[in-house]
Each structure stands twice: as structure tokens, then as C-alpha cells.
Amino acid sequence: MVSATKPEMPVSPRTSARMATSSVGTTVLGWLAFVSLVATAVLGLVVSPRDVVTGDAVRFLYLHVPVIWVAYGAFISCAIASALFLWKGKSRADRGRHLDRVAGASAEVGVVFTALALITGAMWGRITWGVYWQWDARLTMTAMMFVSFLGYLALRRLPTEPSVRSKRAAIAALVSSVNLPLVHFSVDWWRTLHQEASLSVDEAEITGNMYSVLLFSSVAFVLTGIWLVAHRYRVIRLEEIRDDEGLELAIAARRAEAGVD
Amino acid sequence: MIRDALLIARKDLLIEWRSRVTINQVAPLGLLILIVFAFAFDANRNLLTKGAPGLVWVGVLFAGVLTVQRSFTIESADGITDALRLSSISPVAMFLGKAAAVGLQLFVLEIVLVGGAVVFFDSRIGDPVLLIAAAVTGTGGFSAIGCIYGAMSLGVRVRETLLPLLLIPVVAPILLAGTRAFERALDISTQAGWNWVGLLGVMWGVYLAVGTLAFGPLLEDG
Amino acid sequence: MDHAGMIIAGYAIVFATVLGYGAAIVARGRRLARELGLAEGEEPQSGQSREDP
């Protein structure tokens, strides 16, 4: 509908050339991230030596650890943006739209990376522990974080008034964040009481080359994460503009109709 | 404020009492969950007795989601939220009142479910004081956090599916701690039980604080 | 390499997901920009990022 009426549609003053989803900065960042990801695959699969204790399973280290760091970072960014939205949003010129977009974009990237962390963690666990899953505090908390933020994203997709939706989403993000330590603590306590074997028994000893590869792949995934959040942010912004203009068009159409009658 | 909260709680409980949805539908559903578990575990009495604490809490979890949903359906159906906002009752009082009403219903439900566990699963109540303490703190926390999410899903068309998705991950620690405390109270484990009651109390406090802060903003123009 | 299947599958899943997700975002942004009539002046830059992760 929007594209059909595009020719006579005036571009609103807020829309400028900078609005498309890439800029010079993010293009450079995107290529850097892409090249470093390719390099990570080569380093992790070919260059990195086998670990003395865990053998080739250590290659999962370069995926799993950076991926979960990006996920944690994204959720922390979502929580901070949500808190700032609730605290300062009203007094800002844009009514906190910017913070809301940061929170939404971060949360989505965080969910994707948490899913990847859970998958790679399960595969890694299958090789080293013999099982896909262990009920330890960190794993359980990560799984809960994943479903909590899936719920958060569902909340953001609801067809309600944007300001109401943003506020509810921000509160949901903060409640989930407050709750995660409680999950961690209670599971930790539970497993300790049951005297389960610790997971750190045959963890790889990270030394020399492995350490550099881990560092490199962390940088690669962090760059990728930032690039993804930046682009997701811009897509959210474009969607908001489309929704606003769709509304304006609908109102204009109503007015025209009324005028004809 | 306390008086307003009591007023809200009384109003909710009265509506519940007159419609009898909780008594006639939610409580039987809880018992049904226990019976279905017996089918799932092939009526293996040992397994059921051992799992009883967890099964009771799973029953509370599902019935609790329904109770919260119900508590906020009656609000949105008649536009009561707007009416209450126009009256001078503060959101904090509303939150405390609704949480108290939901908590009381869930507590009654828990008594029914524990009774069901005694009958169907051959559970023995070894420590009634611990049992009651865990039930009170657990349902308190559950109803507090439940009401926050209930308000969050007010006026949303997909509430039936959204509320459980949002609420269940958040109440997971209550389920865990409540189950551990019940295990001790029902003489299944010999681990300390009162620690878990303490943890449930801490969670109750945290959720009450969060709800007190969040309920006002959630109700505004929502 | 022992556990080669599992390790290669793990790498494949991670990279395919990240690249696919990135491509989906870029495609969505380009489509929206076109709908809103913003992309004309931006063609070179958007075009460059087409193969981006």
C-alpha cells in the first residue's frame, strides 16, 4: 500500500540520506567483522593446536565463549537502555525512542547469540561430558535468560500503542534482569546441596596460541554483534517511520473521503 | 493505603466468590494435573511420592497463571481499571490488594493440592509448620510477580499465550525453592528446608518492591 | 581431528546463523528504505554492504 502511493508521498523532514541501513562507519565495521569471522573459522579449525587434555573439543571454545559474551553484553545493553528509558525517557526530546530502539535491537541480537551459545554448549558438552545438558547454575540461568527475552521480544511485537509497548517492554526487561541472579543463586544452591560433580574438572587449560585465537575470535564476534545491533537499530527506526507514515496516509485518506461526501 | 489495598483485595475476592471460577474450575484443574501425572508416571507410587513436592508446585504454577489471568480479565472486562484510576486509590494499593487476593486464592489451592498429594501420592506431612511457611512465602512471591505481568498483559489480545511465556521463566526460582522446602516438609529429603523458605521470603520482598515501583507506570495510559 | 563431524557442524551452525541473520536484517532495511523512498541516493553504500555478514 505504501509503495503504491510513494510518488506523491512527501518525505518527512526527519528522513534524510543517513536513514538507509548502512553508513560509511558501519560498512567498514561490517567488512571488518566479516573478514575477522572468516579468519576465526580458519584459526579455530586449522591453525589452533589440539588441547592436551580435551583434544579437538577445544575448538568449540572459540565459538562458545565469544558467542556467550556477546549475548551477555547484548542483554546488559538492553537492561541499561531499558532502565534509562524508564528513568530519563520522558524528559528527552525524542521521548526515549532512541533508548527503546537500542533495547529492542540489543535484545534480538542477544536472543540469537544465546541460542547459538546454547547449541554450541550442548555440542561441546556432548563431546566432553558425554551429555548435551547439565543442570548447573550457569546453564540453567542461560536457558532462562533465553526464554525470558523471547517473551520480551513477543511483548515488543504486540500491536499496541508504541509508548505503552515500550514502557511495558522496558519493565519486562528489567524484571527479567533482576530475576536472573535469583535463578542463578537458587540453582547454584540446589546443585551444591546435591553434591554434583563440578563441571570444571576437565576444562581445557588455555595457554599460548589458544589464548590468542580465543582473543581474536572474541574481537570478531564482538564486532559482529555491534554491527548487527547497529543495523537492527536502523531497521527498527525505518519500521517506525513506515508505521507513522502509514498512519498519516490513513488519516489523509479518511479526510479525503469525508471531503468527498 | 493499607485500607485501600484491603478494599481492592476484598473486591477481587468477592467477585471470585460470586462467580466461583476459582473454586469450580481452577481447583479441580489443579487436582486433575496431579491425576494426569499419575498416568504419565504409570501410577508408580514410589516415583509419585518422591516427586510429589515438585508435582504440587507444577500444579500451583499452572493454576496460578490461570488465577492471575482471571484476576486481570475481570479488571479489563468492565473497564474497572479506568474507574479505579479515576478514584483516588494509588497504584501501589491496587498492586498490593490484587496480589493479596491472588495469593489467598493460591494458598487455598495449595491446601487442596497438598491434600491431593496425600490422597493420591501417599505423601506424609512430616513438618506442617515448614510446609505452611513455604506455601505462604512461595505463593506470596508468585502472586506479586504474577500481578506485575498481569498488568503488563492488560488489554492485550494474545494474553492467554503471552502471560505464561513471560511469567513461567521468572517464577522458575520460586518453583525450585518451593519444591526443595516441600521435599523436607513431606519427609522426602533430609536437607535443610528453612533456608529455602528464607530464599522464598527474599524473592517475595524483591517482587513486592519491583511491583510497587512498576505498577504505576504499567497502568498509566495502558 | 576427533569429533570432526560435531565440530564442523558447530562452526557451520554458528556462521550460517550469524551470516543469515545479518543478511536478513540488511535485506529488510533495504526493502523498507526503498518503500519509503530513501535508498536512491544511498545505492553505492547499501550495495557495498550487500555481501556483508
Side-chain angles (χ1 to χ4, degrees):
Chain A
M1 184 201 82
V2 177
S3 59
T5 51
K6 198 183 73 182
E8 61 271 14
M9 189 179 69
V11 176
S12 74
R14 284 173 302 141
T15 61
S16 64
R18 292 183 51 80
M19 301 289 304
T21 61
S22 66
S23 63
V24 181
T26 50
T27 307
V28 172
L29 179 66
W31 279 111
L32 264 178
F34 182 68
V35 171
S36 58
L37 276 187
V38 173
T40 297
V42 175
L43 286 173
L45 284 174
V46 185
V47 178
S48 160
R50 288 165 53 94
D51 179 57
V52 204
V53 186
T54 57
D56 282 309
V58 74
R59 297 184 199 284
F60 268 114
L61 178 79
Y62 314 128
L63 289 186
H64 182 72
V65 173
V67 162
I68 194 67
W69 280 352
V70 172
Y72 283 147
F75 287 139
I76 290 170
S77 139
C78 173
I80 292 174
S82 301
L84 285 175
F85 173 84
L86 290 173
W87 184 33
K88 296 264 167 121
K90 273 192 181 153
S91 58
R92 289 171 69 109
D94 63 349
R95 309 286 295 165
R97 305 303 313 148
H98 166 68
L99 291 167
D100 179 56
R101 284 181 220 125
V102 170
S106 312
E108 193 178 287
V109 171
V111 163
V112 170
F113 275 79
T114 311
L116 289 177
L118 289 172
I119 293 169
T120 52
M123 294 171 104
W124 195 10
R126 180 85 180 133
I127 296 176
T128 48
W129 312 324
V131 289
Y132 287 110
W133 191 263
Q134 292 256 23
W135 288 106
D136 100 311
R138 217 169 356 153
L139 277 171
T140 313
M141 188 191 76
T142 309
M144 285 298 155
M145 185 170 86
F146 179 62
V147 276
S148 294
F149 279 91
L150 273 183
Y152 170 84
L153 291 181
L155 198 58
R156 289 189 67 93
R157 271 196 300 271
L158 290 179
T160 46
E161 203 197 315
S163 66
V164 175
R165 186 174 52 202
S166 312
K167 200 189 306 171
R168 290 182 178 186
I171 291 172
L174 282 184
V175 175
S176 300
S177 313
V178 168
N179 200 57
L180 287 174
L182 288 176
V183 175
H184 188 279
F185 179 71
S186 51
V187 179
D188 200 27
W189 208 2
W190 168 40
R191 298 323 287 176
T192 322
L193 288 177
H194 281 233
Q195 305 284 322
E196 290 274 314
S198 163
L199 293 186
S200 54
V201 176
D202 52 351
E203 231 165 49
E205 203 168 295
I206 304 166
T207 47
N209 267 342
M210 282 156 50
Y211 187 76
S212 340
V213 176
L214 177 61
L215 202 65
F216 184 87
S217 67
S218 301
V219 172
F221 279 103
V222 168
L223 287 178
T224 311
I226 294 171
W227 184 87
L228 285 168
V229 171
H231 274 246
R232 188 69 186 94
Y233 174 96
R234 290 173 180 160
V235 170
I236 294 177
R237 193 164 173 191
L238 288 177
E239 284 166 346
E240 283 172 2
I241 293 170
R242 183 198 55 190
D243 293 345
D244 287 353
E245 285 182 351
L247 198 66
E248 277 164 28
L249 281 174
I251 293 169
R254 274 285 168 81
R255 285 219 180 102
E257 246 171 53
V260 169
D261 280 343
Chain B
M1 196 187 74
I2 302 284
R3 227 192 42 211
D4 287 349
L6 287 175
L7 212 66
I8 299 275
R10 193 167 156 267
K11 177 212 68 147
D12 274 17
L13 289 171
L14 253 178
I15 292 176
E16 274 317 313
W17 178 249
R18 296 211 174 117
S19 69
R20 294 206 168 69
V21 169
T22 311
I23 295 172
N24 289 349
Q25 292 173 22
V26 179
L29 179 81
L31 283 180
L32 208 53
I33 291 174
L34 294 187
I35 294 169
V36 169
F37 275 128
F39 299 160
F41 293 140
D42 201 18
N44 181 334
R45 195 169 280 272
N46 267 340
L47 207 61
L48 286 171
T49 312
K50 268 194 118 170
L55 301 184
V56 165
W57 275 102
V58 170
V60 171
L61 181 75
F62 286 123
V65 170
L66 291 178
T67 311
V68 170
Q69 219 150 39
R70 169 90 190 128
S71 165
F72 283 85
T73 307
I74 55 176
E75 294 296 339
S76 58
D78 303 328
I80 299 179
T81 330
D82 292 321
L84 284 172
R85 242 187 346 238
L86 290 174
S87 73
S88 60
I89 291 175
S90 75
V92 175
M94 253 191 98
F95 167 67
L96 295 176
K98 291 202 82 70
V102 170
L104 201 62
Q105 293 174 56
L106 281 182
F107 185 71
V108 173
L109 193 84
E110 249 157 62
I111 294 172
V112 173
L113 283 174
V114 170
V118 169
V119 173
F120 295 128
F121 300 164
D122 196 23
S123 295
R124 302 272 150 79
I125 299 173
D127 190 344
V129 182
L130 176 64
L131 190 77
I132 290 170
V136 168
T137 46
T139 38
F142 185 100
S143 50
I145 191 83
C147 284
I148 299 171
Y149 281 96
M152 205 177 281
S153 57
L154 253 181
V156 168
R157 245 172 303 160
V158 288
R159 179 170 36 181
E160 290 79 8
T161 44
L162 182 68
L163 183 64
L165 175 64
L166 289 173
L167 187 53
I168 291 176
V170 180
V171 296
I174 295 183
L175 185 81
L176 182 59
T179 305
R180 297 289 90 75
F182 268 29
E183 275 177 359
R184 180 75 182 82
L186 296 178
D187 275 346
I188 288 155
S189 80
T190 50
Q191 309 276 8
W194 283 100
N195 297 350
W196 292 104
V197 174
L199 181 61
L200 285 170
V202 169
M203 288 192 268
W204 190 4
V206 170
Y207 297 149
L208 278 181
V210 170
T212 306
L213 289 173
F215 214 68
L218 278 175
L219 288 186
E220 272 171 37
D221 53 30
Chain C
M1 198 191 291
D2 31 285
H3 306 296
M6 196 73 114
I7 290 169
I8 288 167
Y11 273 75
I13 290 171
V14 169
F15 289 104
T17 308
V18 171
L19 294 178
Y21 178 56
I25 292 177
V26 170
R28 184 132 187 235
R30 286 163 61 79
R31 206 193 62 228
L32 278 166
R34 204 164 45 239
E35 267 179 28
L36 294 166
L38 301 166
E40 284 83 352
E42 287 289 299
E43 209 42 47
Q45 273 185 19
S46 320
Q48 249 182 313
S49 64
R50 188 178 303 164
E51 284 87 23
D52 266 7

